Amino acid sequence: MPKRSWVWKHYDSCDGQSECKICAKRIKSDKCTTNMMKHLKVLEIYKETTTTLSAISENVSSYADTNERKKKIDDLILSLVIDDLQPLTIVEDKGFVRLINFLDPKYKLPSRKTLKAWLNAKYELESIDKICLTTDTWTSINTDIFITATCHYISNNFELISRTLETKKFMGKHTSVAIVNQLFDICKEWRIENKITTIVTDNAPNMLAAVASLKSRFDVESLPCFVHTLNLIVKHSTILGLCNHKLIMEVETQWNSTYNMFQRLIEQRSAIALALSTLKINFETLNENEWDILSQILPLLKPFFINY
């Protein structure tokens, strides 16, 4: 039978119940509109003045693309996605659509595809030829596993730019195959799969295996995280019975730091060799002759170090 009552303008039939178009609350109607009408009265909606939000939107002309208010709202929605790490699908969420329609019926939300194009333009990814990717998996306080991918590139103004592309939740185990699929989907979604030159990860076997597998899909090099590698070196030094010392970097304004750097390298030589051998990646390391040169230079620098 046709639904003749005016209240049906504000409800949708859903699984034997009636869902309010305004607040999404479900009402048991039982083929009677009494409960539905009571709910609308609570919302202060009556027959004489009732107009749904969708009807308002349909009867009001939208902003022109050049309208300044539209541009401002566009920018705010884009900032919402970027700053609060909101998914692109937010523009399709019923509650968000209702909110925007209520706040400004003349504003028409962009599609998911349009929002993605805005992000690409903002990140300059369309005009960038070579991109480096860093990625890692992490576990939340609720023990949910996530993967985050961040891109790095030199902008057209020769500035180093870093942008977080996406944080995705793992639904299963974070195996190398699962990581490959997640990374490939992210790169493909942003249309940068043919622009990635290097992927930086930690030294976890599943991560290294994932990047190695990606080489079969597009030409990319694997680069282990330098900080994580140093941490491995320190841990291996403990196994060898060496002092638990971190490596020291030379500081250009402190010439005696060169002595400290050489001395620590020689001290941790065995740990460094052991750590690098476990990474299964080709590193350009010091040869035997270069280690001998370091050992010979150290006594020459020591008097200057003591008198500094």
Side-chain angles (χ1 to χ4, degrees):
M1 294 180 62
K3 299 172 181 178
R4 298 178 180 179
S5 175
W6 64 271
V7 298
W8 284 108
K9 294 180 180 180
H10 304 280
Y11 289 92
D12 287 323
S13 295
C14 185
D15 298 330
Q17 295 181 318
S18 302
E19 183 177 287
C20 177
K21 293 180 180 179
I22 300 172
C23 68
K25 183 176 181 179
R26 292 191 178 185
I27 307 295
K28 290 184 178 180
S29 53
D30 296 327
K31 299 182 180 181
C32 177
T33 59
T34 302
N35 292 333
M36 299 161 62
M37 196 175 299
K38 287 181 179 179
H39 175 66
L40 291 178
K41 288 182 178 180
V42 172
L43 298 178
E44 297 184 352
I45 294 179
Y46 305 93
K47 180 178 180 179
E48 293 75 16
T49 58
T50 287
T51 307
T52 63
L53 291 177
S54 59
I56 293 175
S57 298
E58 291 174 359
N59 295 330
V60 177
S61 59
S62 301
Y63 289 120
D65 291 338
T66 56
N67 184 275
E68 291 300 320
R69 178 171 173 79
K70 178 187 181 302
K71 291 180 180 179
K72 179 61 177 178
I73 300 176
D74 288 344
D75 288 339
L76 290 172
I77 290 177
L78 187 61
S79 297
L80 170 70
V81 172
I82 296 172
D83 297 339
D84 296 338
L85 298 178
Q86 294 297 322
L88 299 178
T89 53
I90 189 174
V91 294
E92 300 171 354
D93 292 344
K94 291 182 179 179
F96 187 71
V97 172
R98 283 196 295 265
L99 174 64
I100 295 299
N101 284 342
F102 177 77
L103 294 177
D104 194 337
K106 294 182 67 177
Y107 179 76
K108 183 179 179 181
L109 276 167
S111 66
R112 180 180 177 182
K113 185 176 181 180
T114 300
L115 191 59
K116 186 62 170 293
W118 291 352
L119 284 170
N120 267 326
K122 191 174 184 68
Y123 280 178
E124 303 178 299
L125 296 181
E126 293 287 349
S127 61
I128 302 301
D129 295 326
K130 297 184 183 298
I131 295 173
C132 171
L133 205 67
T134 56
T135 184
D136 196 10
T137 57
W138 51 278
T139 305
S140 71
I141 193 172
N142 296 322
T143 68
D144 293 321
I145 300 174
F146 294 86
I147 184 171
T148 297
T150 304
C151 70
H152 314 268
Y153 58 90
I154 303 298
S155 71
N156 296 324
N157 296 323
F158 297 99
E159 297 176 321
L160 177 60
I161 307 295
S162 298
R163 304 292 189 191
T164 299
L165 297 179
E166 195 164 352
T167 295
K168 301 183 70 174
K169 183 178 179 180
F170 265 102
M171 301 310 296
K173 293 183 178 180
H174 50 304
T175 63
S176 61
V177 175
I179 293 173
V180 167
N181 293 333
Q182 294 279 19
L183 289 177
F184 186 74
D185 288 345
I186 292 173
C187 293
K188 189 175 181 180
E189 186 175 357
W190 286 92
R191 299 179 182 178
I192 59 173
E193 63 269 28
N194 296 320
K195 298 182 179 184
I196 305 297
T197 61
T198 307
I199 299 181
V200 180
T201 67
D202 60 17
N203 297 287
N206 57 345
M207 274 295 185
L208 297 179
V211 177
S213 178
L214 280 174
K215 289 184 178 181
S216 63
R217 303 196 185 189
F218 43 86
D219 187 20
V220 63
E221 293 296 326
S222 174
L223 184 64
C225 172
F226 181 70
V227 174
H228 189 262
T229 302
L230 287 181
N231 184 55
L232 284 179
I233 292 173
V234 172
K235 289 183 177 179
H236 284 301
S237 69
T238 305
I239 298 174
L240 296 171
L242 300 174
C243 296
N244 191 2
H245 289 161
K246 297 181 180 179
L247 295 182
I248 298 175
M249 296 295 294
E250 182 182 30
V251 180
E252 186 175 353
T253 56
Q254 299 177 11
W255 71 266
N256 64 320
S257 63
T258 304
Y259 173 85
N260 291 326
M261 181 179 66
F262 287 171
Q263 190 275 334
R264 187 59 53 81
L265 280 171
I266 293 173
E267 175 193 283
Q268 300 292 331
R269 178 180 176 180
S270 298
I272 293 171
L274 179 58
L276 295 180
S277 67
T278 62
L279 300 181
K280 299 179 180 180
I281 296 175
N282 293 327
F283 279 92
E284 186 176 348
T285 59
L286 297 178
N287 57 41
E288 194 66 31
N289 184 50
E290 289 169 334
W291 280 109
D292 289 341
I293 293 175
L294 278 183
S295 299
Q296 295 171 16
I297 290 177
L298 205 59
L300 297 177
L301 294 178
K302 189 173 182 179
F304 300 97
F305 172 75
I306 294 175
N307 294 323
Y308 180 74

